[in-house]
C-alpha cells in the first residue's frame, strides 16, 4: 500500500516490561501473555493515517535484557521515534520469571533504569527523535509500584511525551503509537525534521516526494521505500 | 513488511550466486532498499526455506506452508565471517505458492527478525531432506527445509556455511601477498589467469570436500599455534593508518600464518572458507587487518 511517509520507531526498555506485547497489540490487536525473550530485533509495521496522509510505521522491537543489549545501540540510527517503556508494577515476581539467574530486579527498577535508557537513546539517536515514555501494565492497578504522577514528572523533566498503557487490555496502545507519530508529523510540518535526511528516520513515499519535499525546507524528493508495504 | 517494487536493474554482471538466487536476492534487495538501508555494503547470502515440523512435515496444513527467507550478512562488510542472521516471511498476494517462477507473481517479503549470529546455532538437521535447524539462545528452534527450486549446490553452500560458523575461520593471514577469494559462493571460472586456479562451482568439483578438509585441518593447526579460538581479523579499506599499525604491508608473514601458507594450495583451500567482499579488485588495497572494529560496532 502506498504511503506518504515512513517513520522508523524503536521500542526500548528493560526486559519484561512488555515491549513485544505492545508491538503485537498494536500490529495484530492481540495479547500474548507468554513471549520469548527478544534477541536482536523483531520487526512490525502498520499503516496509520494522520492529517489524511497514509503513514507507515516501521517498528523495531529490541532486546531489553542486558546481555543482548549492546547490539541495541546500533539500531537507534535513523529512528524518528522511540517508545521508552517501563513496568508500573515491576514486581520481583514478574522479573524473576524472566531474568533467570542473571540478575535480580527489584521493585521500581524498570522505572529507575529509565535514566540510563534515556541517556543511551539521546547519545545514539538524532537529537530530534521523539520519545514517548510509556508506563505499561496499567491493568495491574493493585500491584502498582510507580505512581502515574511519577511517570508524568519524569517525562516533563526530560521533555518526553507520556502515557500509561496496557498491552493486555489494549488501553492507550493505539494512542501511544499514533500520538508519537503525530508529534513527528508536527515536527515535519514545522520544518524541524529534514525529511530528506535519512538519519532522521523519516522516508517519503515516492508519489509524495515531490509535493512534500518543501515542508522541511529541503529539496530533492528522495525516493524511498518503494511506496509499498 | 514490504512488497519489493520495481527494483533497479543489476549493474554488475550477475555471478553464479545471483543466478542461483542466493546473492542479490529478495531479502538482500529489501534490507539494502531505502526503507531499511541496512548493511548496505555487505554481501547477503540467502535462500528460501519452508518451515517444517521436526520430522519434516509441513508446518501448517490449513494455511499452507510457512515460507521464510533466511540470510546471513555482516554488520561490517570487511568482517571475515558473517555475524548477522536475517529472517523474513514470504507471502504471495494470492496464495500462489506453486507459482514461484511465474512472471508477475512477486512475493511480499516481510523482514521479521535480525539476530546476531553469536546468539544462534545453525545445524544441518537432515542432509537428504535438506533441512536446516536454527536454534537461538532462547531455545527457539526452527526446522527449515530448503525450497525445492534450488539445486543441490545451494544446500552445499549452507552446509559449508554451517561448518564455517561452527569451526571459525579456517585460515587467516596478514600477508597481502596471499590472495583470498571473497565470498561463500565460488565464482565462475576466471576472466583472468589470476583467478583461474580456484574458482569453479562447487558442484563440479569433486575435490571440494578434501580441500575444505585440508583448510579445516590447517585451521586446527593454526589455532593451535595461535592459541586463540577465534580470530577477529578483517580488512579495512579506509584506514591506512590502521593497516600500517598492524604491519600488514610487511611482507614477512607472522609465525602463525607461515606454516599454513607454505603447505597448502591457499587459494584453492580458502576459496570456500571465507566470507568477504566480492570485489576481486580490492585484493591489492585491502589487506587483512587485526582490529577490534567489528567488536566495537556491537560493543558496549
Amino acid at each position: 500500500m502506498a504511503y506518504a511517509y515512513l517513520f522508523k520507531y524503536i521500542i526500548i526498555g528493560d526486559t519484561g516490561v512488555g515491549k513485544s506485547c505492545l508491538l503485537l497489540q498494536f500490529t495484530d490487536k492481540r495479547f500474548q501473555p507468554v513471549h520469548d525473550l527478544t534477541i536482536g530485533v523483531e520487526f512490525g509495521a502498520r499503516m496509520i493515517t494522520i492529517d489524511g496522509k497514509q503513514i507507515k510505521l516501521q517498528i523495531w522491537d529490541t532486546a531489553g535484557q542486558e546481555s543482548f543489549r549492546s547490539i541495541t545501540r546500533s539500531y537507534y540510527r535513523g529512528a524518528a521515534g522511540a517508545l521508552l517503556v517501563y513496568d508500573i508494577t515491576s514486581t520481583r515476581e514478574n522479573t524473576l520469571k524472566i531474568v533467570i539467574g542473571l540478575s535480580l530486579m527489584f521493585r521500581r527498577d524498570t522505572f529507575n533504569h529509565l535514566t540510563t535508557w534515556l541517556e543511551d537513546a539521546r547519545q545514539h539517536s538524532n537529537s530530534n527523535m521523539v520519545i514517548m515514555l510509556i508506563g505499561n501494565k496499567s491493568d495491574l492497578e493493585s500491584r502498582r509500584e510507580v505512581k502515574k504522577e511519577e511517570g508524568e514528572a519524569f517525562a516533563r523533566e526530560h521533555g518526553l511525551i507520556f502515557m500509561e498503557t496496557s498491552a493486555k487490555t489494549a488501553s492507550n496502545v493505539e494512542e501511544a503509537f499514533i500520538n508519537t507519530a503525530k508529534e513527528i508529523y508536527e515536527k515535519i510540518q514545522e520544518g524541524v525534521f529534514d525529511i530528506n535526511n535519512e538519519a532522521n528516520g523519516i522516508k517519503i513515499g515516492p508519489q509524495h516526494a515531490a509535493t512534500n519535499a518543501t515542508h522541511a525546507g529541503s529539496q530533492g524528493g528522495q525516493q524511498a521505500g518503494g511506496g509499498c508495504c | 513488511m514490504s512488497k519489493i517494487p520495481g527494483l533497479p536493474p543489476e549493474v554488475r554482471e550477475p555471478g553464479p550466486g545471483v543466478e542461483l538466487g542466493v546473492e542479490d536476492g529478495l531479502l538482500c534487495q529489501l534490507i539494502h532498499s531505502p526503507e531499511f538501508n541496512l548493511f548496505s555494503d555487505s554481501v547477503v547470502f540467502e535462500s528460501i526455506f519452508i518451515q517444517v515440523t521436526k520430522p519434516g512435515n509441513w508446518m501448517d496444513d490449513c494455511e499452507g506452508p510457512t515460507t521464510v527467507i533466511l540470510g546471513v550478512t555482516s554488520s561490517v562488510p570487511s568482517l571475515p565471517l558473517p555475524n548477522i542472521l536475517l529472517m523474513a516471511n514470504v507471502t504471495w498476494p494470492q496464495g500462489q505458492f506453486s507459482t514461484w517462477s511465474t512472471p508477475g507473481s512477486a512475493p511480499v517479503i516481510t523482514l521479521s527478525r535480525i539476530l546476531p549470529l553469536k546468539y544462534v546455532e545453525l545445524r544441518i538437521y537432515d542432509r537428504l531432506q535438506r533441512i536446516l535447524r536454527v536454534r537461538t539462545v532462547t531455545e527457539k528452534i526452527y526446522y527449515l527445509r530448503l525450497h525445492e527450486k534450488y539445486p543441490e549446490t545451494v544446500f552445499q553452500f549452507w552446509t559449508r556455511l554451517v561448518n564455517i560458523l561452527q569451526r571459525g575461520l579456517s585460515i587467516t593471514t596478514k600477508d597481502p601477498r596471499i590472495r583470498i577469494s571473497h565470498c561463500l559462493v565460488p565464482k565462475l571460472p576466471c576472466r583472468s589467469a589470476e583467478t583461474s586456479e580456484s574458482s569453479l562451482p562447487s558442484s563440479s568439483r569433486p575435490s571440494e570436500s578434501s580441500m575444505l578438509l585440508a583448510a579445516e585441518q590447517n585451521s586446527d593447526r593454526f589455532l593451535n599455534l595461535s592459541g586463540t579460538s577465534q580470530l577477529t581479523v578483517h580488512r579495512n579499506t579506509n584506514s591506512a593508518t590502521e593497516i600500517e599499525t598492524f604491519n600488514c604491508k610487511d611482507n614477512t608473514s607472522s609465525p602463525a600464518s607461515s606454516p599454513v601458507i607454505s603447505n597448502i594450495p591457499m587459494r584453492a583451500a580458502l576459496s570456500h572458507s571465507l566470507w568477504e567482499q566480492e570485489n576481486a579488485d580490492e585484493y591489492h588495497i585491502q589487506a587483512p587487518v587485526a582490529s577490534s572494529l567489528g567488536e566495537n560496532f556491537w560493543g558496549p
Side-chain angles (χ1 to χ4, degrees), chain A residues 34-107:
Chain A
V34 180
H35 198 281
D36 291 332
L37 275 180
T38 304
I39 53 177
V41 180
E42 294 185 7
F43 292 91
R46 209 186 108 179
M47 300 289 288
I48 61 170
T49 304
I50 293 176
D51 194 23
K53 291 191 168 58
Q54 287 286 93
I55 294 173
K56 180 174 180 177
L57 301 184
Q58 180 193 84
I59 306 156
W60 298 43
D61 175 26
T62 65
Q65 188 164 312
E66 181 64 38
S67 53
F68 303 144
R69 197 183 295 171
S70 60
I71 194 172
T72 301
R73 297 184 179 111
S74 56
Y75 296 129
Y76 285 108
R77 182 177 65 93
L83 306 187
L84 171 54
V85 187
Y86 68 93
D87 176 355
I88 68 156
T89 72
S90 192
T91 62
R92 192 181 301 203
E93 181 193 359
N94 273 352
T95 51
L96 271 178
K97 284 181 191 166
I98 298 158
V99 190
I100 304 163
L102 294 176
S103 65
L104 299 183
M105 294 176 66
F106 298 97
R107 290 171 191 276

Side-chain angles (χ1 to χ4, degrees), chain B residues 174-224:
Chain B
K174 292 180 179 177
D175 189 339
R177 293 172 304 176
I178 305 303
R179 294 186 176 159
I180 298 169
S181 184
H182 276 185
C183 64
L184 190 68
V185 183
K187 296 298 166 202
L188 284 171
C190 57
R191 299 181 185 98
S192 70
E194 181 179 301
T195 56
S196 63
E197 62 196 53
S198 72
S199 300
L200 287 168
S202 64
S203 56
S204 65
R205 293 164 40 132
S207 62
E208 176 196 307
S209 58
S210 61
M211 284 192 292
L212 195 61
L213 183 62
E216 286 162 0
Q217 287 168 343
N218 279 284
S219 166
D220 293 341
R221 291 175 52 191
F222 181 73
L223 294 178
N224 289 338

Side-chain angles (χ1 to χ4, degrees), chain A residues 136-155:
Chain A
N136 192 35
K137 307 191 186 180
S138 64
D139 55 292
L140 301 175
E141 188 59 44
S142 62
R143 287 159 52 183
R144 179 187 285 273
E145 292 287 336
V146 183
K147 291 177 188 165
K148 188 175 181 182
E149 292 74 23
E150 293 177 276
E152 287 170 339
F154 186 94

Side-chain angles (χ1 to χ4, degrees), chain B residues 38-82:
Chain B
L38 279 170
F39 318 125
S40 51
D41 295 325
S42 297
V43 176
V44 179
F45 173 73
E46 65 178 82
S47 300
I48 297 160
F49 290 84
I50 310 298
Q51 192 170 356
V52 294
T53 56
K54 199 170 180 179
N57 297 320
W58 293 121
M59 190 73 175
D60 187 340
D61 290 330
C62 301
E63 298 177 13
T66 302
T67 307
V68 300
I69 302 181
L70 201 66
V72 293
T73 189
S74 300
S75 55
V76 179
S78 51
L79 288 175
L81 292 175

Side-chain angles (χ1 to χ4, degrees), chain A residues 178-197:
Chain A
I178 291 171
N179 289 358
T180 305
K182 284 179 179 168
E183 187 85 2
I184 296 167
Y185 185 78
E186 281 171 19
K187 284 194 172 189
I188 294 172
Q189 300 300 305
E190 293 163 3
V192 175
F193 269 125
D194 176 1
I195 51 177
N196 291 309
N197 181 354

Side-chain angles (χ1 to χ4, degrees), chain A residues 3 6 36-37 39-45 56 58 60 67-68 70-71 73-75 77 198 203 222-226 228-229, chain B residues 1-5 33-39 84 108 111-116 118-120 136-138 140 297-300:
Chain A
Y3 57 81
L6 180 148
D36 291 332
L37 275 180
I39 53 177
V41 180
E42 294 185 7
F43 292 91
K56 180 174 180 177
Q58 180 193 84
W60 298 43
S67 53
F68 303 144
S70 60
I71 194 172
R73 297 184 179 111
S74 56
Y75 296 129
R77 182 177 65 93
E198 273 194 13
K203 296 175 178 30
Q222 176 192 0
Q223 298 287 308
C228 299
C229 63
Chain B
M1 195 174 298
S2 288
K3 181 178 178 179
I4 301 291
S33 72
E35 185 159 332
F36 282 97
N37 193 24
L38 279 170
F39 318 125
I84 299 287
V108 178
L111 183 62
S112 56
R113 304 182 86 180
I114 294 179
L115 299 167
K118 65 180 176 180
Y119 298 134
V120 180
T136 71
V137 289
T138 55
K140 180 87 175 171
F297 186 83
W298 303 115

Side-chain angles (χ1 to χ4, degrees), chain B:
Chain B
M1 195 174 298
S2 288
K3 181 178 178 179
I4 301 291
L7 291 157
E10 271 296 318
V11 176
R12 286 178 297 176
E13 189 179 335
V18 177
E19 288 167 13
L20 287 167
V22 297
E23 291 178 350
D24 289 337
L26 295 169
L27 180 57
C28 175
Q29 292 170 43
L30 177 63
I31 68 160
H32 289 178
S33 72
E35 185 159 332
F36 282 97
N37 193 24
L38 279 170
F39 318 125
S40 51
D41 295 325
S42 297
V43 176
V44 179
F45 173 73
E46 65 178 82
S47 300
I48 297 160
F49 290 84
I50 310 298
Q51 192 170 356
V52 294
T53 56
K54 199 170 180 179
N57 297 320
W58 293 121
M59 190 73 175
D60 187 340
D61 290 330
C62 301
E63 298 177 13
T66 302
T67 307
V68 300
I69 302 181
L70 201 66
V72 293
T73 189
S74 300
S75 55
V76 179
S78 51
L79 288 175
L81 292 175
N83 63 344
I84 299 287
L85 180 75
L86 304 159
M87 296 181 77
N89 294 322
V90 183
T91 52
W92 278 263
Q94 297 156 352
Q96 300 164 325
F97 172 68
S98 60
T99 58
W100 177 268
S101 56
T102 305
S105 64
V108 178
I109 314 298
T110 307
L111 183 62
S112 56
R113 304 182 86 180
I114 294 179
L115 299 167
L117 266 171
K118 65 180 176 180
Y119 298 134
V120 180
E121 178 197 65
L122 296 182
R123 264 180 45 190
I124 303 302
Y125 181 74
D126 188 327
R127 284 179 194 281
L128 290 177
Q129 290 202 63
R130 309 200 303 181
I131 296 174
L132 196 65
R133 192 184 84 144
V134 180
R135 181 172 70 101
T136 71
V137 289
T138 55
E139 292 298 328
K140 180 87 175 171
I141 298 178
Y142 304 87
Y143 295 93
L144 302 170
R145 179 157 65 195
L146 187 66
H147 195 283
E148 60 192 14
K149 75 167 186 168
Y150 294 109
E152 193 57 31
T153 309
V154 172
F155 196 71
Q156 288 172 14
F157 293 153
W158 281 97
T159 305
R160 185 175 301 123
L161 175 66
V162 167
N163 286 334
I164 291 169
L165 292 174
Q166 284 176 351
R167 297 162 190 267
L169 183 60
S170 299
I171 300 166
T172 187
T173 175
K174 292 180 179 177
D175 189 339
R177 293 172 304 176
I178 305 303
R179 294 186 176 159
I180 298 169
S181 184
H182 276 185
C183 64
L184 190 68
V185 183
K187 296 298 166 202
L188 284 171
C190 57
R191 299 181 185 98
S192 70
E194 181 179 301
T195 56
S196 63
E197 62 196 53
S198 72
S199 300
L200 287 168
S202 64
S203 56
S204 65
R205 293 164 40 132
S207 62
E208 176 196 307
S209 58
S210 61
M211 284 192 292
L212 195 61
L213 183 62
E216 286 162 0
Q217 287 168 343
N218 279 284
S219 166
D220 293 341
R221 291 175 52 191
F222 181 73
L223 294 178
N224 289 338
L225 285 165
S226 66
T228 56
S229 59
Q230 187 160 1
L231 296 165
T232 54
V233 178
H234 72 96
R235 298 166 303 158
N236 188 329
T237 53
N238 300 323
S239 173
T241 307
E242 206 167 346
I243 289 171
E244 287 168 10
T245 302
F246 288 98
N247 295 319
C248 284
K249 291 178 178 172
D250 187 344
N251 284 338
T252 57
S253 305
S254 70
S257 57
S258 298
V260 179
I261 294 163
S262 59
N263 290 340
I264 62 166
M266 281 293 295
R267 206 175 144 65
L270 282 170
S271 64
H272 297 303
S273 302
L274 291 176
W275 175 273
E276 301 195 26
Q277 289 182 326
E278 288 185 286
N279 187 352
D281 295 332
E282 292 174 355
Y283 290 162
H284 301 289
I285 57 170
Q286 293 185 325
V289 177
S291 160
S292 60
L293 181 62
E295 292 177 346
N296 289 341
F297 186 83
W298 303 115

